[in-house]
Amino acid sequence: MKILVTGGAGFIGSHVVDAYIAQGHTVTVIDNLSTGYREFLNPKARFYQVDIADRAAVREIFAREGFDLVNHHAAQVDVRLSVADPLKDAHTNILGLLTVLEACREFSVKRFIFISSGGVIYGEPQRLPVPEDAPKKPISPYGVAKLASEFYLFSAKQTWGLEYIALRYANVYGPRQTPKSEANVISTFARQLLQGEAVTIFGDGHQTRDFVFVSDVVAANLVATERIEEINRASAYSIDDLAFNVGTGQETSVNELFERFERALNKKCDARYAPPRPGELQRNALDITKAQKLLGFVPKVSLEEGLRITMDWVRATPPS
């Protein structure tokens, strides 16, 4: 299959590219390298350094390559930036998506995997773990853009027959996650603690997240790719019918995470507390029952093992 991975030089996207190529697919990457790295690119992938909102450039690539499926990882992922500059967030997360979707329609690409968010689109949940049909209450422009994107995809399915799956990620972590890219608290803590620095905990540290290791997220992409046609045979009555949470279903607080790092490093570490950041959630964990049942998705990497692998990568990788 000929697959386009947008954002394929980034943290998660580059791992997905590697997995597709290992399966024998022909992969093309579009990435503007604003948060991606050339060194993360698989040498067997064809690469275009292009902004996904550049309509003429994207159209030219689609015309030349003839894709069977698009895996859309390219995004502006900084919640704080989206709060400070919603227009910049929308340029990539709304206009970029629409540019790619229009190219799909023009060049008859009927299969699309979209990377959504299992945290920000739900907002503060009423119950945990959060199922796909929970109320949608995004509190940041980033969350609004992800939710709007799913509605655009649903519209494309109804109006011109797009087959798609939306993967609503929990908090992904692992190798290749850097401060420039999609850094979350795990990669930030690992880098600071291994350098002997104090970490900053925003708020009281009781806020929770569902931390899922990058290889498990890659596995979800692979099964979604295999089953996208089957999933789309059933009638879809809402965006939730074609969305799947990708996480572990487990809550871990930031304070608990810090303690796990101390145990892994076998020493006491320094932490300072700072005011909470605007737009961030207090609690989150995703119900993955649907993904387990319909996609066969089962997360395999424990938080303990994932922290060890992440720290090993940080130790071996010079700061950039």
Side-chain angles (χ1 to χ4, degrees):
M1 189 164 19
K2 297 186 74 173
I3 300 175
L4 169 64
V5 180
T6 68
F11 159 45
I12 305 172
S14 64
H15 285 285
V16 172
V17 169
D18 290 346
Y20 278 146
I21 288 174
Q23 286 192 332
H25 298 294
T26 300
V27 180
T28 298
V29 169
I30 293 178
D31 199 304
N32 66 3
L33 298 183
S34 61
T35 57
Y37 293 81
R38 285 188 180 274
E39 52 265 43
F40 293 171
L41 284 165
N42 190 300
K44 294 183 179 179
R46 180 170 294 183
F47 173 57
Y48 294 92
Q49 186 173 347
V50 165
D51 189 311
I52 57 166
D54 185 335
R55 190 173 185 179
V58 168
R59 185 183 181 280
E60 183 180 343
I61 295 166
F62 270 74
R64 180 182 300 126
E65 299 295 343
F67 302 118
D68 300 304
L69 177 142
V70 171
N71 184 301
H72 188 60
H73 268 80
Q76 190 296 114
V77 298
D78 190 327
V79 171
R80 289 168 293 170
L81 186 149
S82 81
V83 172
D85 193 348
L87 285 174
K88 185 173 183 179
D89 181 84
H91 172 82
T92 299
N93 293 342
I94 298 292
L95 295 181
L97 170 73
L98 292 178
T99 299
V100 176
L101 275 181
E102 280 298 289
C104 286
R105 178 162 64 172
E106 181 177 359
F107 295 99
S108 300
V109 182
K110 292 293 183 70
R111 295 177 182 173
F112 199 101
I113 293 175
F114 175 68
I115 307 312
S116 188
S117 171
V120 296
I121 70 166
Y122 298 121
E124 291 296 344
Q126 295 175 342
R127 63 186 178 94
L128 292 172
V130 188
E132 285 85 356
D133 61 357
K136 312 300 184 292
K137 301 178 294 182
I139 59 177
S140 67
Y142 171 68
V144 171
K146 286 294 186 183
L147 181 57
S149 296
E150 290 197 36
F151 279 109
Y152 276 118
L153 289 160
F154 190 76
S155 172
K157 178 176 177 63
Q158 307 306 316
T159 56
W160 55 271
L162 179 73
E163 296 181 356
Y164 81 92
I165 285 176
L167 298 178
R168 295 175 181 168
Y169 287 175
N171 282 66
V172 188
Y173 71 100
R176 301 182 188 168
Q177 192 170 46
T178 72
K180 175 186 168 185
S181 63
E182 301 155 44
N184 74 5
V185 64
I186 287 182
S187 62
T188 301
F189 278 13
R191 190 163 283 100
Q192 292 172 335
L193 293 174
L194 287 171
Q195 293 173 355
E197 301 173 0
V199 302
T200 300
I201 297 175
F202 294 94
D204 60 13
H206 294 304
Q207 61 269 34
T208 64
R209 295 292 182 267
D210 183 342
F211 295 109
V212 59
F213 193 67
V214 67
S215 64
D216 287 327
V217 168
V218 170
N221 278 267
L222 296 182
V223 293
T225 300
E226 293 167 3
R227 301 191 181 183
I228 188 169
E229 182 179 9
E230 174 188 343
I231 295 297
N232 277 266
R233 287 197 197 111
S235 298
Y237 300 100
S238 77
I239 60 171
D240 297 329
D241 291 332
L242 293 167
F244 294 85
N245 288 336
V246 177
T248 67
Q250 303 297 316
E251 281 187 275
T252 303
S253 74
V254 176
N255 287 333
E256 181 185 350
L257 182 66
F258 177 68
E259 292 169 1
R260 283 177 175 266
F261 270 109
E262 287 188 316
R263 291 199 294 271
L265 294 168
N266 195 29
K267 67 176 183 179
K268 292 294 292 181
C269 301
D270 294 325
R272 54 175 176 264
Y273 288 80
R277 295 182 290 195
E280 293 197 331
L281 303 177
Q282 289 305 300
R283 295 184 66 191
N284 186 250
L286 301 182
D287 185 340
I288 59 172
T289 303
K290 181 182 173 185
Q292 290 174 319
K293 181 179 179 181
L294 297 183
L295 296 180
F297 167 70
V298 179
K300 296 180 179 179
V301 180
S302 67
L303 183 56
E304 181 181 22
E305 182 184 3
L307 291 182
R308 177 185 58 76
I309 296 170
T310 301
M311 285 192 291
D312 286 346
W313 183 82
V314 171
R315 285 189 185 98
T317 306
S320 58

